[in-house]
Amino acid sequence: MGTRYYYITTPIYYVNSVPHIGTALTTIVADACARYRKQRGQAVYFLTGTDENAPKVHQVAQQQGKPTQQFVDEMAEVFARTWQALHIEYDVFIRTTEARHRKVVSEVFRRLRAQGDIYEGRYAGWYCISCETFFAESKVGAERTCPDCGKPLEWRDEPCYFFRLSRYTEPLREYILSHPNFILPEVRRNETLGFMAEGLQDVAVSRSGTEWGIPVPDDPHGAVIYVWFDALLNYLTATDWLERGDAYLEIWPPNLQLMGKDILPRFHATIWPAMLMALGLPLPETLYGHGWWIVNKQKMSKSLGNVYQPLEVAQELSQASGCALPYAIDAFRYFMLREMPTDSDAEFSLEGFETRYNGDLANDLGNLVHRTLSMWHRYFEGRLPDGVHVDEGLAALFQQQVARVAEAYEAVDFPQGLREAWEIIAAINRYYDEQAPWSLAKAGNMERAAQVLYGGLEAVRLMSALIAPAMPKVAEEIARQLNLPGVPQWDATSQIGALPAGHTLQPPQPIFPRLGKKGG
Ligand code: MSP
């Protein structure tokens, strides 16, 4: 076998609405994980894409008076372009209307039906078209509204195919219990075990009355395959499982599947692994379910008018502060990761974003880079003299912080990783205050001034590496100002004092201009 890839996925997004800060969160977290792995020299295969076969997608296309295929083509383009604009470096953008995906889904359906894991029955119950889910009479109350989203339900009574999920309750429970990293964070693992407590029920995996979707193979009633059964298989399609013999094992199984908490217990942590068990395929290493962004303590929704779009948020910051757009986009990525909801939900607000921008980016990071390079130019013409090295205590702190950042990034804990990285900035601010390199230079003690500023410069070099998963363009700009050929690889962070005597620095250029006070 050739290269073994680190395989990382986001969910595929429904195309009936535009990308917002919720979908951007999952995608940015995935991109940061992918970039971190690449910085460590790992081969990465990063998959994202769009979920296009849902009846609700078809419904919205019809409301807009567009042929559904045209609508999904346009929307897939909107998603791909938004992710590119947000500096998402995916390897493959998969779409569930692709022929190769339809082929995989039909084949899996056939195989599971042939081995008795899919069987024919009849479904009578209340159906939510928005959630694509059937609900038992006991769950819907007198109003007949969806227990999940509150929308009105419709009664359906139809022949249906079922996936024998119940058969996998015990094997799955055992798997979860014996693989502590299979479902993260811990709260999600517990939620899943709770969800499974009374045993999993067989799921209806076909739908009647819609022509949009992947047809159930050889079905006399013209049913289509349930969109979740179809969508989950995208992760397998992307490896060319049917086409490449054993070569798909260079990619499969996924190392990290990221998603929001809403689609973990019921779909990714139960139906999905059960489907893989039924197919005899290895299970993903880790399923990670983050919390949700809420706005003013409420779920974002079109009707409440509180849906934020990532590019608009970044553009507004850029206009208000004068920060170049690529760095404003990175600032948005930073905010998503620094305040990322992990276990519970988190508030998103423009004020919160602006506070982080002014505090962490303009005052802390931007200022560290700018004042360090300015002093190098003012006192040393931007050139490192002979004999400089980093003070011992500072070097030890750098090493400790780099290790802590790596540990947190590996656990998908970006808030913690970025906090640890910012400790380096705080340490240098204290160090400058104590050592006062400006006074040393004024007093003519150039040797010690260079020594102190060399510590600061190392901090800048390390920060360029440590922030790169979160803010790739800012990291590149810092590396450029340091006159480095590119952002340091992760290995280069273990070598403290890497910039040699004689190295010259570019003139400093501000990256994050401060936002003025409101109305000022
Ligand atoms: N199409 C399905 C996924 C199929 S994967 C085989 C889907 N799509 S979605 O577009 O509705 O949601 C995609 C992701 O965005 C989910 O992980 C969901 O949790 C996340 N978010 C949507 N709104 C969110 C917030 N407000 N906050 C954080 N993440 C949220 O589900």
Side-chain angles (χ1 to χ4, degrees):
M1 205 164 66
T3 316
R4 168 66 206 165
Y5 289 87
Y6 186 87
Y7 183 21
I8 180 165
T9 71
T10 72
I12 48 172
Y13 303 108
Y14 288 130
V15 290
N16 50 310
S17 55
V18 292
H20 52 64
I21 54 166
T23 42
L25 173 70
T26 323
T27 321
I28 290 169
V29 172
D31 187 61
C33 292
R35 285 178 184 272
Y36 169 72
R37 295 283 161 184
K38 282 187 266 189
Q39 220 180 338
R40 297 219 74 146
Q42 261 175 294
V44 169
Y45 192 77
F46 170 16
L47 175 74
T48 189
T50 39
D51 188 348
E52 303 179 3
N53 295 323
K56 64 183 170 191
V57 168
H58 180 50
Q59 214 177 35
V60 172
Q62 284 179 322
Q63 282 158 9
Q64 295 191 7
K66 281 186 185 161
T68 308
Q69 189 60 51
Q70 181 194 329
F71 174 75
V72 296
D73 289 348
E74 288 170 6
M75 290 304 292
E77 186 66 27
V78 169
F79 274 83
R81 266 196 273 116
T82 305
W83 300 151
Q84 286 158 17
L86 291 177
H87 310 149
I88 306 294
E89 231 174 34
Y90 55 76
D91 293 292
V92 175
F93 189 97
I94 195 165
R95 299 182 51 193
T96 51
T97 47
E98 285 173 45
R100 62 175 182 148
H101 178 67
R102 297 168 75 93
K103 200 166 150 196
V104 166
V105 175
S106 307
E107 175 60 21
V108 169
F109 198 97
R110 266 196 207 97
R111 282 193 197 180
L112 298 195
R113 187 169 55 189
Q115 71 192 43
D117 272 307
I118 287 179
Y119 62 93
E120 228 177 321
R122 193 170 181 87
Y123 206 104
W126 292 97
Y127 189 66
C128 174
I129 185 155
S130 182
C131 302
E132 324 282 7
T133 307
F134 276 110
F135 294 96
E137 185 82 43
S138 59
K139 295 264 163 65
V140 303
E143 283 84 43
R144 313 277 188 242
T145 50
C146 173
D148 285 355
C149 76
K151 292 191 184 137
L153 299 168
E154 57 182 60
W155 178 257
R156 296 231 178 141
D157 183 357
E158 58 197 35
C160 193
Y161 292 87
F162 288 87
F163 171 50
R164 221 180 276 284
L165 182 59
S166 55
R167 179 185 270 177
Y168 295 94
T169 307
E170 280 320 309
L172 198 53
R173 200 195 320 271
E174 268 168 42
Y175 192 89
I176 295 172
L177 292 173
S178 59
H179 294 78
N181 288 330
F182 180 50
I183 303 174
L184 292 176
E186 179 106 12
V187 274
R188 304 277 117 74
R189 184 168 185 259
N190 294 338
E191 271 167 25
T192 307
L193 289 168
F195 175 76
M196 297 173 67
E198 286 170 25
L200 296 167
Q201 292 186 359
D202 293 352
V203 268
V205 290
S206 66
R207 297 289 186 265
S208 306
T210 175
E211 74 276 20
W212 185 251
I214 303 177
V216 170
D218 316 312
D219 177 56
H221 312 291
V224 298
I225 295 175
Y226 173 44
V227 69
W228 270 100
F229 186 90
D230 143 9
L232 288 163
L233 286 167
N234 89 86
Y235 307 126
L236 189 57
T237 304
T239 67
D240 282 334
W241 168 64
L242 278 182
E243 318 293 333
R244 295 209 301 154
D246 276 353
Y248 80 99
L249 291 168
E250 289 173 1
I251 300 168
W252 190 266
N255 298 82
L256 179 61
Q257 300 210 262
L258 288 155
M259 72 214 70
K261 62 177 190 179
D262 54 318
I263 58 173
L264 193 135
R266 190 184 297 175
F267 302 107
H268 283 83
T270 47
I271 301 181
W272 174 227
M275 285 165 73
L276 295 172
M277 282 177 168
L279 288 167
L281 292 172
L283 302 195
E285 195 177 312
T286 295
L287 305 167
Y288 185 100
H290 58 70
W292 270 45
W293 285 127
I294 47 169
V295 176
N296 294 327
K297 303 197 171 51
Q298 279 175 305
K299 226 172 147 168
M300 283 191 301
S301 82
K302 267 192 229 157
S303 51
L304 287 174
N306 61 359
V307 180
Y308 286 103
Q309 292 180 28
L311 291 176
E312 287 177 5
V313 173
Q315 269 153 1
E316 271 173 41
L317 176 80
S318 169
Q319 275 158 16
S321 65
C323 175
L325 187 58
Y327 310 143
I329 285 170
D330 273 6
F332 174 78
R333 292 172 53 111
Y334 171 78
F335 183 80
M336 291 278 113
L337 296 163
R338 178 64 181 75
E339 305 251 335
M340 165 188 174
T342 53
D343 290 9
S344 32
D345 295 344
E347 260 298 318
F348 175 89
S349 74
L350 291 179
E351 293 71 31
F353 177 39
E354 289 170 6
T355 305
R356 284 266 171 228
Y357 175 80
N358 264 346
D360 299 8
L361 300 181
N363 286 357
D364 293 343
L365 180 61
N367 199 30
L368 169 76
V369 177
H370 198 261
R371 74 167 168 160
T372 302
L373 288 183
S374 297
M375 286 192 277
W376 273 108
H377 278 275
R378 192 173 316 134
Y379 306 129
F380 299 95
E381 291 165 347
R383 189 175 180 280
L384 307 194
D386 288 338
V388 274
H389 63 270
V390 178
D391 282 349
E392 231 170 75
L394 204 53
L397 178 123
F398 288 164
Q399 267 160 344
Q400 167 188 295
Q401 290 313 113
V402 167
R404 288 182 177 172
V405 174
E407 195 187 332
Y409 284 179
E410 265 157 50
V412 199
D413 191 348
F414 287 98
Q416 178 65 13
L418 292 167
R419 256 196 306 272
E420 298 290 1
W422 256 246
E423 286 298 319
I424 292 179
I425 304 179
I428 294 298
N429 286 340
R430 285 194 302 270
Y431 184 64
Y432 281 172
D433 284 348
E434 283 158 22
Q435 304 287 330
W438 44 89
S439 307
L440 292 167
K442 211 166 160 195
N445 189 350
M446 299 317 278
E447 206 175 310
R448 184 62 195 154
Q451 185 70 16
V452 172
L453 289 177
Y454 190 67
L457 197 62
E458 266 302 275
V460 173
R461 186 181 68 90
L462 292 179
M463 286 307 288
S464 138
L466 301 185
I467 64 166
M471 295 190 282
K473 299 292 168 201
V474 172
E476 276 167 26
E477 173 57 14
I478 295 176
R480 188 196 66 74
Q481 295 191 21
L482 290 176
N483 211 3
L484 295 174
V487 173
Q489 286 291 86
W490 205 269
D491 273 359
T493 59
S494 55
Q495 194 198 342
I496 305 298
L499 293 174
H503 182 84
T504 55
L505 303 164
Q506 294 293 329
Q509 264 177 15
I511 302 173
F512 299 116
R514 262 186 79 86
L515 267 171
K517 286 207 178 76
K518 272 262 151 67

